[in-house]
Amino acid sequence: MKLQLALLLILFQGLFSIGFSQSKTKIDFKDNWYLLNGEKFFIKAIGYEIGARPGQHPYEGKRADDLDLMKFDLETIKQGGYNTIRTWSQFSEAQLKLVQKSGLKLIMGLEVNPEGDYGDPTFINTLKVDLKKVLSYAKNYDCIITYLVINEPQTDHIHHVSGKAFVDLMKTLIDLIHAEHPGIPVTLSANAMISDYMDESIFDVYAYNCYDHNEAQTASMGFKDYIKGLNELNGLDKPFITTEFGYSVSASGGGGLYGSNTLQQQSDGLISNYRDLIDAGAVGMCPFYYADGWWKGGDKNDHALGQPEEWFGFWGYSDLNDKYGSPRPVWFAMRDYMKGLIISPKNISMHTTTTIPLELYNDKDVKKVVIKYRDKVLYSKNIKKEGYFADEFTINPVGLEDMELAFEFYNKKNEVIKHESINILASKTSFDLPKLTIEVTPGTDLNEGKIARVKTNIETKEHFKLLGDLYVSYNTHLGWDTGPRETVSVKAQLDKKMINTESFFEIPDNSWIVNASAGISVQYGKFIFQIHDQKIIFRGDWAKEVGRK
């Protein structure tokens, strides 16, 4: 009997072990959300590289697993309120076991050289062999919820190797992953500013690195609307996640988000971006990133003060001997902000019904949510479980009304642990807004001219005030150079029902794709929004396989 019990115990342990290594998390999509085991899952991720501490280089030589330090990092990340990590390269099996044990989910990057020859058989075969090796063990871990097959492929390089070669390679990698690890979505991490032209429909998920540079479409359309526009161009038919965004706190740099920010500016910038990206439709966030990468400036032993790429981290390290680091203010700001995420209503949204859909994503500390308008309670509800929450509340706008809604999140002690304002424009009846459209010449093929004309038409509306200047951008996609932009004053035409302007730009011979855009801010009371338009123009038909139709 003892022998039989022992054999049964061994058999049970074996079955348990097999069950643990096989997928226990079922991934589905519904309403453009990730569903994990039937529950809507908002990806609260953070970008994470192991082997990027002082004196280390994550892509140089053979990387150590660093399991003790990784265990510390993962526990810290969980305590910070995150439920997922995003990487730029694949983990070893030992590292995957650690992620699985931690309970965190993983968006795993794969090392595909974005500068490789996408059509070269040797390059393709090497990728396939390497990928099969990774998938041979990765397929046993259900912590993986998405694969990223390439990071920020450049426009000029895709043009050089051909759009067809790029698409064929992506399809090859997607098919291989689907065959070896069924049920796991595959996407890329495209850079929004340089990949706006790219048709991402071949991927399971839409994903972009989204940086709030005050240039190109961000300057003309605003950060939220520029990213929302990408989501709309993709068709709004799949989940959309942001795979990078952040602010550097280097001592000097290009200004704005790219260096020379104070610690407070980093905290404020990340929260502002988080809000904007939710409003753009994102259901997954991967801010950049957990810890500074000293290696990015070329010397892994020197934390260069003026190198912006080395100072995006939420955690910093005091010297070469500091292996654990310490949090910056942005760590605590993001931890508190993520306690209760307002998915609906969106900030700067417009409503013509009195019933407003309410969607929240709460952590375990949230036990009650209250919504107020002008200090009066519109809605109050006890929260029974963490995660996704849906309901509705009622408003009663007087005419066309700008409404600032105050959201308060309470813990079990009835203490406010987070508050946030959402601004909406509401009316019980439909209303007309100012409109902006552009006409671009050449508008179908860049080969048709050397000088581009962007004609902007603004249809004004009573009670809506145009703010500031009109911004017109001609994004030429030359590497990271976003091309010229023009600031146009419209003050002299504010009394007109239709405002018309013209801007002219030189078309570089080596520009293969242009995004022309224009936009201006509009105000109604406290409610400020952008009106804008954009047009994407290709040179010839080089992008017929990879570009938007």
Side-chain angles (χ1 to χ4, degrees):
M1 179 62 74
K2 289 182 178 179
L3 179 60
Q4 289 176 329
L5 287 173
L7 289 173
L8 285 171
L9 180 60
I10 292 170
L11 177 61
F12 175 78
Q13 288 174 333
L15 289 172
F16 180 79
S17 176
I18 292 171
F20 183 80
S21 64
Q22 298 300 314
S23 177
K24 298 198 306 184
T25 300
K26 186 176 186 298
I27 301 174
D28 294 302
F29 295 153
K30 183 180 179 182
D31 302 327
N32 298 338
W33 277 76
Y34 277 74
L35 266 65
L36 270 54
N37 294 330
E39 297 286 335
K40 286 186 176 180
F41 183 77
F42 190 94
I43 299 171
K44 297 191 292 184
I46 191 167
Y48 177 74
E49 285 180 299
I50 190 67
R53 282 174 161 77
Q56 295 182 326
H57 194 304
Y59 308 108
E60 190 176 76
K62 182 174 174 58
R63 294 193 296 265
D65 282 342
D66 275 337
L67 296 181
D68 288 340
L69 290 175
M70 188 173 175
K71 184 177 180 181
F72 169 83
D73 292 344
L74 296 181
E75 184 57 36
T76 300
I77 288 168
K78 284 186 67 176
Q79 291 175 0
Y82 300 92
N83 57 25
T84 307
I85 56 174
R86 175 257 158 124
T87 72
W88 285 258
S89 60
Q90 58 270 10
F91 277 164
S92 69
E93 184 163 17
Q95 292 171 330
L96 280 178
K97 285 181 180 178
L98 207 56
V99 178
Q100 182 86 28
K101 187 177 180 180
S102 76
L104 290 166
K105 300 302 180 183
L106 172 62
I107 297 174
M108 190 162 80
L110 300 170
E111 287 184 50
V112 176
N113 182 3
E115 299 178 356
D117 185 347
Y118 307 144
D120 176 42
T122 301
F123 178 75
I124 295 170
N125 288 332
T126 300
L127 279 180
K128 290 168 68 176
V129 169
D130 291 344
L131 181 53
K132 285 181 179 179
K133 289 179 182 177
V134 174
L135 292 171
S136 68
Y137 62 83
K139 65 185 180 183
N140 296 320
Y141 295 90
D142 73 321
C143 57
I144 301 172
I145 59 171
T146 302
Y147 286 98
L148 299 177
V149 293
I150 196 168
N151 187 68
E152 295 186 341
Q154 297 285 311
T155 304
D156 191 64
H157 186 64
I158 293 176
H159 172 267
H160 175 70
V161 300
S162 84
K164 184 179 187 305
F166 175 77
V167 170
D168 287 349
L169 176 61
M170 293 298 102
K171 288 182 176 178
T172 296
L173 299 180
I174 292 168
D175 291 345
L176 180 55
I177 294 171
H178 283 169
E180 296 292 327
H181 200 168
I184 306 302
V186 182
T187 188
L188 80 169
S189 44
N191 185 285
M193 192 65 73
I194 64 173
S195 299
D196 49 4
Y197 70 93
M198 189 181 293
D199 180 1
E200 289 198 8
S201 62
I202 62 173
F203 298 99
D204 301 316
V205 174
Y206 302 126
Y208 292 94
N209 298 342
C210 305
Y211 287 94
D212 189 9
H213 296 288
N214 188 26
E215 56 190 7
Q217 296 99 288
T218 305
S220 58
M221 300 170 63
F223 182 58
K224 179 202 74 173
D225 283 1
Y226 148 53
I227 302 300
K228 182 181 178 182
L230 284 177
N231 198 16
E232 291 171 342
L233 287 171
N234 281 322
L236 298 173
D237 58 349
K238 297 177 183 178
F240 160 52
I241 62 175
T242 59
T243 41
E244 286 184 26
F245 63 98
Y247 276 71
S248 170
V249 291
S250 62
S252 59
L257 68 92
Y258 200 68
S260 71
N261 293 289
T262 66
L263 296 174
Q264 187 62 49
Q265 286 171 328
Q266 184 187 37
S267 297
D268 294 343
L270 261 296
I271 289 174
S272 176
N273 284 176
Y274 216 100
R275 178 69 262 163
D276 279 344
L277 292 167
I278 289 177
D279 296 332
V283 295
M285 302 290 196
C286 309
F288 186 77
Y289 62 149
Y290 175 68
D292 283 343
W294 287 29
W295 60 278
K296 282 179 171 285
D299 183 351
K300 62 187 178 184
N301 297 312
D302 176 37
H303 202 189
L305 293 176
Q307 170 45 259
E309 286 286 343
E310 293 193 9
W311 291 86
F312 275 90
F314 289 15
W315 279 60
Y317 298 87
S318 59
D319 54 42
L320 275 171
N321 298 315
D322 184 1
K323 299 301 180 186
Y324 293 97
S326 60
R328 293 189 175 129
V330 65
W331 179 260
F332 304 107
M334 286 305 305
R335 179 198 63 189
D336 294 343
Y337 184 78
M338 292 189 299
K339 287 185 179 298
L341 297 177
I342 305 165
I343 312 301
S344 176
K346 308 292 189 190
N347 194 39
I348 313 301
S349 58
M350 303 178 196
H351 303 265
T352 55
T353 61
T354 56
T355 301
I356 307 296
L358 176 64
E359 291 181 286
L360 308 173
Y361 202 85
N362 303 307
D363 77 0
K364 63 182 186 303
D365 294 333
V366 175
K367 300 303 179 184
K368 185 176 70 172
V369 63
V370 174
I371 306 173
K372 296 178 180 177
Y373 176 56
R374 293 182 176 170
D375 303 321
K376 294 180 180 179
V377 174
L378 293 181
Y379 177 91
S380 180
K381 194 84 165 186
N382 292 329
I383 305 297
K384 295 181 179 180
K385 67 173 186 175
E386 64 179 304
Y388 181 78
F389 173 85
D391 201 357
E392 58 185 33
F393 64 97
T394 301
I395 59 174
N396 186 30
V398 178
L400 180 60
E401 188 170 1
D402 56 309
M403 304 180 72
E404 183 178 9
L405 305 176
F407 284 71
E408 298 172 349
F409 296 84
Y410 292 79
N411 63 14
K412 63 182 179 181
K413 297 180 180 179
N414 208 34
E415 300 167 331
V416 176
I417 55 175
K418 183 200 168 176
H419 57 83
E420 183 174 6
S421 292
I422 296 291
N423 288 278
I424 67 172
L425 189 61
S427 172
K428 295 176 183 177
T429 58
S430 61
F431 53 91
D432 294 326
L433 297 171
K435 296 179 182 178
L436 184 152
T437 58
I438 62 173
E439 302 169 31
V440 184
T441 307
T444 56
D445 187 343
L446 296 178
N447 286 320
E448 295 175 353
K450 296 288 186 180
I451 300 296
R453 183 190 74 163
V454 180
K455 182 180 178 182
T456 303
N457 307 299
I458 303 173
E459 182 183 345
T460 64
K461 291 292 179 183
E462 190 178 3
H463 305 305
F464 288 92
K465 177 184 177 182
L466 298 183
L467 289 181
D469 295 323
L470 170 72
Y471 290 94
V472 184
S473 170
Y474 202 71
N475 184 354
T476 51
H477 292 72
L478 298 178
W480 294 110
D481 184 359
T482 56
R485 82 169 193 237
E486 185 174 274
T487 302
V488 181
S489 175
V490 296
K491 289 182 180 179
Q493 303 185 65
L494 289 178
D495 58 340
K496 296 181 179 180
K497 291 185 177 180
M498 183 68 73
I499 297 173
N500 304 116
T501 70
E502 288 187 337
S503 302
F504 295 89
F505 304 95
E506 183 179 348
I507 306 174
D509 292 337
N510 59 339
S511 174
W512 317 119
I513 163 73
V514 157
N515 189 324
S517 62
I520 192 169
S521 295
V522 179
Q523 182 178 18
Y524 184 92
K526 293 182 179 180
F527 190 86
I528 299 174
F529 62 103
Q530 302 283 122
I531 54 172
H532 48 73
D533 192 14
Q534 63 177 327
K535 296 284 189 290
I536 295 175
I537 308 109
F538 296 96
R539 184 178 294 279
D541 64 353
W542 75 269
K544 62 182 179 181
E545 291 88 4
V546 69
R548 301 184 188 281
K549 305 302 185 287

